[in-house]
Amino acid sequence: MNVYKRAQSDEYGASRIDAAEFDAFLQENPHIQYIDCVFADLCGVVRGKRIARSDLERVFESGLQIPYTFYFLDARGDMVDPLGRGSPDGVPDGTAWPVPGTLTRVNWSQRPHGQVLMTLCDAKSEPYFGEPRNVLRRVVDRFADLELAPVVASELQFYLLDRERAKTGLPQQPVAPDAASVAGPSTYAISDVDRYDEVLAAITDAAQTQGLCAAATPAKSASGQFEIGLKHAADAERAGDHAVFVRQVVRAVARQHGLDASFMAKPYLGLAGNSMHVHVSVKHRSGKNVFDDGSDKGSDLMHFAIGGLQAVMAESMALFAPNVNAYRRFGANAAMPRNKRWGYDNRSTGIRIPGGAAETRRIEHRVAGADANPYLVMAAVLTGIHHGISQSIDPGQPFEGNASTFVDQTIPSSIDTALLALENGSIMREYLGRAYIDLYCATKRTELERFRNFIPAHEYDWYL
């Protein structure tokens, strides 16, 4: 096989996939007959094309033609034609290429097969500006000017669900006769581990097969809710890849065991929501963690980073909470506060500094829902950190006590106000790109219009 070499701007770093990765995969997996070439769209949903094993070499050598609109679908996967892109301009294609290091075997399908992440290039062979992974890449590149690099990990929460809805139409816990049985909390319940041991072990095994260092454990608050943590990655794009693929793994393995899994931000009004926590430290090119100054308080740079996260909080909410349901997680006395407070080892704050050894000093960003796009969430978090460090923003004093009792009226409380804040903000536009922000907001507004073009069942109960 010829070595694949594509023209690519030095701004994004040269990327080459050599024959060794391709050949090693085929030799180690002689039984695999097809490979999924996959993408993560604007909502973070994995989509793609399934190709025969015999066609894999062609994809590595010549790429795969994919419409640019692939990255601007609504939550149901429908094309929305944002700002005239899509059907009005003929749905043009770009060329997608396999991402180095992402060709893996998957073991959760009926017939084991392979999977490779693809990245899209435009007509000039430049990374497509509308791909969320490339949006994150642009933010990460700005750290190089400061001789810094972010180290990122994520934790995602999800519920295991029965495949059938309750009579009320609500989701229900597996083997439960109706939705009433999910009403109670279950903090760190070992019984949940025992009850779902088989599926949790299968999730961990499937994740490891795909090179994802992850393990599923009970979440803190609700029965049937679990948390899956991923190890820190020195490459933020890889951290985003891992979060996207671990959601795919959880859903696929749950189906394999006759269950459903949901990362919906708030599937039950009376129980804890599903969050995505992003952990970030920043290293100097010398290898030192610049958030560590040897003290329990952390360095000035860490405090500046917190200040930057506060500064972009309002603009970022449409990325952290990208749909109507996501805002049900927030509010006074909720587990997830709607304010900009920060604190040391304080889980009631959205910006938390975990305890532990000084050399592991990091920021835990606790605002995003588990159904948000991981690349865009990480891009927003890193934007805040970079902005705070470069502008030396003071975050104020850490908060002690229960921060969830405070509601900051400057933080959007709905997807409508969040999209306005993102659209009218200046910081996220500068970092993520004006064109991308405009297309994101247009896509989400079309999705919102379609979502609201239904009469919910309770509207008939109340007003018919």
Side-chain angles (χ1 to χ4, degrees):
M1 170 188 169
N2 295 331
V3 176
Y4 151 58
K5 301 179 181 180
R6 63 182 163 96
Q8 192 173 34
S9 168
D10 291 339
E11 178 186 355
Y12 294 90
S15 176
R16 298 182 179 182
I17 295 181
D18 59 25
E21 180 180 354
F22 175 87
D23 292 337
F25 176 79
L26 295 182
Q27 291 174 11
E28 292 170 6
N29 300 280
H31 59 291
I32 285 179
Q33 296 304 312
Y34 59 89
I35 293 89
D36 290 343
C37 298
V38 299
F39 310 77
D41 68 10
L42 179 143
C43 296
V45 176
V46 175
R47 307 184 187 277
K49 289 186 176 182
R50 179 162 293 178
I51 65 170
R53 177 191 181 100
S54 58
D55 292 331
L56 184 60
E57 183 173 350
R58 174 183 55 79
V59 171
F60 271 66
E61 290 182 336
S62 304
L64 190 68
Q65 297 300 299
I66 291 292
Y68 295 117
T69 51
F70 212 102
Y71 291 104
F72 295 101
L73 304 175
D74 68 12
R76 297 182 303 172
D78 289 344
M79 188 181 297
V80 301
D81 300 333
L83 304 181
R85 294 173 183 261
S87 298
D89 63 1
V91 196
D93 285 344
T95 303
W97 300 97
V99 175
T102 66
L103 180 58
T104 64
R105 180 173 60 89
V106 299
N107 67 355
W108 36 257
S109 64
Q110 190 171 12
R111 291 184 298 167
H113 64 280
Q115 179 172 278
V116 63
L117 179 64
M118 308 292 288
T119 186
L120 189 63
C121 288
D122 61 21
K124 296 180 180 179
S125 297
E126 293 292 328
Y128 179 53
F129 82 97
E131 179 182 326
R133 195 176 192 270
N134 292 333
V135 173
L136 174 58
R137 176 76 261 164
R138 292 195 293 271
V139 177
V140 172
D141 284 345
R142 297 183 70 142
F143 281 82
D145 295 336
L146 303 177
E147 299 185 345
L148 300 175
V151 180
V152 184
S154 62
E155 300 168 325
L156 297 99
Q157 295 171 346
F158 63 94
Y159 277 95
L160 289 176
L161 307 173
D162 196 284
R163 297 300 298 271
E164 293 187 10
R165 300 279 184 91
K167 292 180 180 179
T168 59
L170 298 176
Q172 61 179 356
Q173 195 176 16
V175 306
D178 53 48
S181 62
V182 302
S186 182
T187 305
Y188 287 105
I190 293 298
S191 59
D192 268 12
V193 178
D194 295 333
R195 185 179 186 185
Y196 302 111
D197 177 69
E198 185 177 345
V199 65
L200 295 180
I203 287 171
T204 300
D205 179 61
Q208 291 176 349
T209 297
Q210 288 186 232
L212 311 174
C213 296
T217 60
K220 282 91 176 170
S221 303
S223 180
Q225 186 188 38
F226 298 90
E227 183 173 83
I228 189 157
L230 292 151
K231 286 190 175 182
H232 285 78
D235 183 336
E237 291 165 278
R238 282 285 187 260
D241 298 342
H242 294 169
V244 165
F245 284 137
V246 86
R247 294 196 305 199
Q248 179 195 33
V249 165
V250 168
R251 291 190 181 102
V253 172
R255 287 195 300 271
Q256 195 177 41
H257 287 76
L259 306 172
D260 277 336
S262 177
F263 292 85
M264 184 179 183
K266 192 73 170 178
Y268 303 111
L269 282 177
L271 295 178
N274 289 322
S275 62
M276 180 194 308
H277 297 166
V278 178
H279 294 253
V280 182
S281 59
V282 177
K283 286 191 175 183
H284 185 262
R285 68 176 183 178
S286 64
K288 175 179 171 54
N289 179 1
V290 300
F291 288 172
D292 171 28
D293 66 351
S295 73
D296 293 336
K297 301 299 183 183
S299 68
D300 287 342
L301 288 183
M302 185 188 78
H303 296 131
F304 296 153
I306 295 169
L309 290 170
Q310 294 172 329
V312 303
M313 185 70 77
E315 294 181 36
S316 304
M317 286 302 295
L319 304 174
F320 297 149
N323 55 59
V324 170
N325 175 263
Y327 292 84
R328 297 186 185 277
R329 288 180 56 237
F330 303 100
N333 297 314
M336 180 59 246
R338 202 178 80 234
N339 60 57
K340 296 181 282 191
R341 285 175 167 80
W342 71 281
Y344 292 101
D345 206 13
N346 186 342
R347 285 188 169 86
S348 75
T349 60
I351 304 171
R352 171 178 176 253
I353 309 304
E359 61 268 20
T360 65
R361 191 70 61 226
R362 67 190 186 278
I363 293 172
E364 179 186 13
H365 197 278
R366 301 168 56 82
V367 180
D371 56 352
N373 185 309
Y375 298 119
L376 299 180
V377 169
M378 292 176 188
V381 170
L382 295 182
T383 290
I385 289 174
H386 184 278
H387 176 69
I389 290 174
S390 60
Q391 300 298 317
S392 302
I393 299 176
D394 181 5
Q397 293 300 308
F399 187 83
E400 297 181 4
N402 184 6
S404 66
T405 59
F406 298 90
V407 175
D408 186 338
Q409 298 300 327
T410 68
I411 304 298
S413 59
S414 70
I415 184 61
D416 302 87
T417 54
L419 288 171
L420 280 174
L422 177 60
E423 199 169 45
N424 295 330
S426 59
I427 302 171
M428 299 306 293
R429 276 188 172 275
E430 179 193 348
Y431 278 79
L432 274 60
R434 292 178 177 275
Y436 186 78
I437 294 299
D438 289 340
L439 283 167
Y440 180 89
C441 291
T443 300
K444 282 298 175 182
R445 284 205 174 94
T446 301
E447 177 183 310
L448 191 57
E449 180 181 355
R450 292 175 175 179
F451 174 82
R452 287 174 172 157
N453 196 30
F454 290 88
I455 299 178
H458 75 271
E459 188 170 331
Y460 290 111
D461 294 336
W462 282 47
Y463 305 119
L464 187 65

